[in-house]
Amino acid sequence: MVKYLLESITDMKRFSILLLAGAFSLSGLAFGQAAEQQPSLRTRVKSSDLPSGGATDIFVVGGNRGTILYKLNTVQVDPMQLPFNKFEYFYMMEPPEYLSALESFQNNKLQEARAKFAAFKDKYKAILAVPDNYVQKAAFLELECAIEMQDWPAVAALYKAFPRQATPPAEMIVSLEAIEPLSKLDAKAWADVISATGTMQKQKNKWSLKDSARIAYARGVALAATGKPQEALDEFARTIVAEHGAYSPLASAALLQSVDILAADPKVVEFMKHEPQKSNFAKAPQAFRDAAAFVYLHKNVLFPEIKMDPKYDAFLNGYETPTERVAREGVRPKPQKEETPKEAGKPAAPAKDAKTAAPAKDAKAAPAKAPAKKNSGNKKK
């Protein structure tokens, strides 16, 4: 019995040792696989310190402005390192995941693009400190998506967390400055927004049209919230003009918020109590006519692809286009009367045949001048 137990215990120890050995073997394999699968971005470089001695592709896995961590191929386990200043040139190629997100963004699939940029940024976060990297660009475009979607809590969070481990390009720095007022909309920091945007608008040559539109929009929202509707309308108009010709949910929002301001006019409120009809459009308050025209422009001219809230239908139903008014009233443009020279205050045009043209009745013949005598140069003595 005792012998049997001892043999059983011995067998169990052997089995445990085998299990441990297998576990260590598997963990080592897993570690090796993890190292091999470490996310990397293909980069075209040139350095005399690399084995090739010239231009080649490496796979960057991390680093910063001082040192680059890289592999020579995707199956290499341990990364190598080289000071950044040892590269004659360093060009990170566009990763497929980034290009896919960019395509969604360019096709205005904002939610899809935003998710792709976020996933890309998380996957390659070890590369965020490498100069001019696509991870930082993805973070910027993720922020752009949130702005276009008018997700102000997300804009505030993404702006605050924007990765600055690598110095952003100059244009991106300027754009981030223009985004800062938008990042304060969720907190309703109206005084800060009005003060900051007022200063920014004085620096006219600094901003791109898109930057100017965003500054104006943030200022318009803050002015509307602080009881300055007319000034807010002016800022929303600047937003629309700056974004003219581009697909812009922000300009769309500016136009519809202008309608909201006009709709709050007491005369419009009273007029809207009776269902607006095209037939009484001419008698409507000016603010209603402006609002209705804005809604018409939004739906049929500027942003037909952006769906509007049904609350704007009343303005659309009450808007009468100039063509519809002509059809209803039967008014036709009168032909312009041809002006006579006397009415126009201009001299009459000369007759086609100047030789046979009759002289004017009151015209007097001007005395003919005697021909000038040629001076021969001789004087009488």
Side-chain angles (χ1 to χ4, degrees), residues 26 33 65 68 83 152 174 183 211 241 245 265 270 323 337:
L26 287 171
Q33 286 177 340
R65 188 166 289 280
I68 299 299
W152 304 126
V174 173
S183 73
D211 293 337
V241 170
D265 185 299
E270 183 62 29
T323 303
K337 184 180 178 182

Side-chain angles (χ1 to χ4, degrees), residues 180-223:
E180 185 176 5
L182 294 174
S183 73
K184 297 180 179 180
L185 294 184
D186 182 57
K188 297 180 172 57
W190 308 133
D192 289 347
V193 172
I194 292 171
S195 175
T197 53
T199 301
M200 295 166 84
Q201 287 183 333
K202 294 175 183 177
Q203 303 169 302
K204 295 181 180 178
N205 296 329
K206 182 176 181 178
W207 314 108
S208 67
L209 286 175
K210 176 171 279 191
D211 293 337
S212 298
R214 289 173 173 177
I215 293 167
Y217 181 80
R219 186 173 178 81
V221 171
L223 288 168

Side-chain angles (χ1 to χ4, degrees), residues 271-339:
F271 182 77
M272 293 284 284
K273 289 179 180 178
H274 313 285
E275 189 175 347
Q277 301 292 331
K278 294 179 184 292
S279 57
N280 60 6
F281 178 74
K283 298 177 182 179
Q286 184 62 50
F288 175 87
R289 285 186 280 172
D290 290 343
F294 286 169
V295 174
Y296 179 85
L297 284 172
H298 188 288
K299 181 177 176 62
N300 298 290
V301 181
L302 298 176
F303 310 109
E305 67 278 24
I306 299 179
K307 189 176 180 179
M308 292 188 298
D309 191 294
K311 71 179 183 179
Y312 298 111
D313 290 347
F315 291 97
L316 200 60
N317 295 336
Y319 178 69
E320 183 178 49
T321 66
T323 303
E324 289 172 334
R325 184 179 178 186
V326 167
R328 178 175 59 81
E329 296 182 350
V331 179
R332 292 288 180 272
K334 295 180 181 179
Q336 292 184 350
K337 184 180 178 182
E338 198 173 319
E339 288 185 329

Side-chain angles (χ1 to χ4, degrees), residues 15-213:
F15 182 68
S16 298
I17 291 169
L18 289 172
L19 282 176
L20 287 170
F24 278 118
S25 175
L26 287 171
S27 65
L29 178 61
F31 178 79
Q33 286 177 340
E36 290 176 14
Q37 294 172 0
Q38 188 176 7
S40 61
L41 293 180
R42 191 185 194 101
T43 305
R44 179 65 51 86
V45 297
K46 183 177 182 181
S47 174
S48 58
D49 290 271
L50 291 173
S52 65
T56 188
D57 289 353
I58 62 173
F59 297 85
V60 175
V61 296
N64 51 43
R65 188 166 289 280
T67 304
I68 299 299
L69 300 177
Y70 68 96
K71 298 177 184 179
L72 295 175
N73 52 61
T74 56
V75 297
Q76 181 179 333
V77 176
D78 298 321
M80 305 164 72
Q81 64 180 29
L82 190 66
F84 185 71
N85 59 13
K86 293 290 185 180
F87 293 99
E88 293 181 41
Y89 66 75
F90 187 92
Y91 175 74
M92 193 169 283
M93 299 181 184
E94 291 180 311
E97 303 104 311
Y98 176 85
L99 289 175
S100 175
L102 185 62
E103 183 180 5
S104 298
F105 178 72
Q106 291 171 340
N107 289 327
N108 301 318
K109 298 177 181 178
L110 299 175
Q111 186 66 57
E112 178 182 296
R114 183 173 161 186
K116 288 180 178 180
F117 284 129
F120 178 83
K121 182 182 69 173
D122 184 63
K123 180 179 178 180
Y124 296 100
K125 56 189 175 185
I127 301 172
L128 270 170
V130 175
D132 197 24
N133 65 81
Y134 280 99
V135 190
Q136 189 179 63
K137 293 175 183 177
F140 181 77
L141 290 174
E142 181 188 8
L143 178 56
E144 289 266 356
C145 289
I147 292 170
E148 294 296 298
M149 295 170 69
Q150 298 157 61
D151 185 348
W152 304 126
V155 171
L158 291 170
Y159 178 81
K160 184 178 180 180
F162 186 80
R164 298 174 187 266
Q165 292 93 323
T167 304
E171 289 183 7
M172 189 183 291
I173 291 174
V174 173
S175 293
L176 285 168
E177 287 182 47
I179 290 170
E180 185 176 5
L182 294 174
S183 73
K184 297 180 179 180
L185 294 184
D186 182 57
K188 297 180 172 57
W190 308 133
D192 289 347
V193 172
I194 292 171
S195 175
T197 53
T199 301
M200 295 166 84
Q201 287 183 333
K202 294 175 183 177
Q203 303 169 302
K204 295 181 180 178
N205 296 329
K206 182 176 181 178
W207 314 108
S208 67
L209 286 175
K210 176 171 279 191
D211 293 337
S212 298

